[in-house]
Amino acid sequence: MKISKLFLYDEPSVSEIKINELAEFIQKQSGISTEVRQSFFQHFDIKEKILHQLASCRVFNPYVPFEEHNPQ
């Protein structure tokens, strides 16, 4: 499988990741065209409740079949 383009989505709440520098590094190392886009969730009209539900289903312990996470 050949990858022709890679999209990276910026997440403003994670300022430690310098997304533009990461995109440049990936492009130099792999030759894959990279494009930086704004936060993935800004493209959707999702209410905060749905985002909270999505975050609550994150798996922290693979040995527990389902354990609801309480995102803060």
Side-chain angles (χ1 to χ4, degrees):
M1 178 171 80
K2 183 172 165 89
I3 298 173
S4 60
K5 191 162 196 169
L6 180 66
F7 296 99
L8 299 175
Y9 289 91
D10 190 18
E11 179 51 57
S13 66
V14 185
S15 61
E16 295 84 12
I17 297 176
K18 295 174 179 55
I19 197 77
N20 291 324
E21 291 179 20
L22 177 61
E24 189 177 315
F25 175 78
I26 291 171
Q27 192 161 352
K28 282 181 182 177
Q29 296 298 315
S30 66
I32 298 171
S33 174
T34 56
E35 183 178 322
V36 176
R37 294 185 174 182
Q38 296 302 315
S39 176
F40 180 77
F41 290 107
Q42 94 171 22
H43 300 289
F44 302 101
D45 185 25
I46 299 178
K47 301 212 181 300
E48 190 173 318
K49 180 181 177 187
I50 294 173
L51 291 175
H52 189 272
Q53 288 174 334
L54 184 62
S56 71
C57 67
R58 187 171 173 190
V59 175
F60 284 94
N61 185 351
Y63 299 108
V64 177
F66 180 75
E67 183 176 50
E68 188 170 342
H69 171 67
N70 185 13
Q72 297 176 355

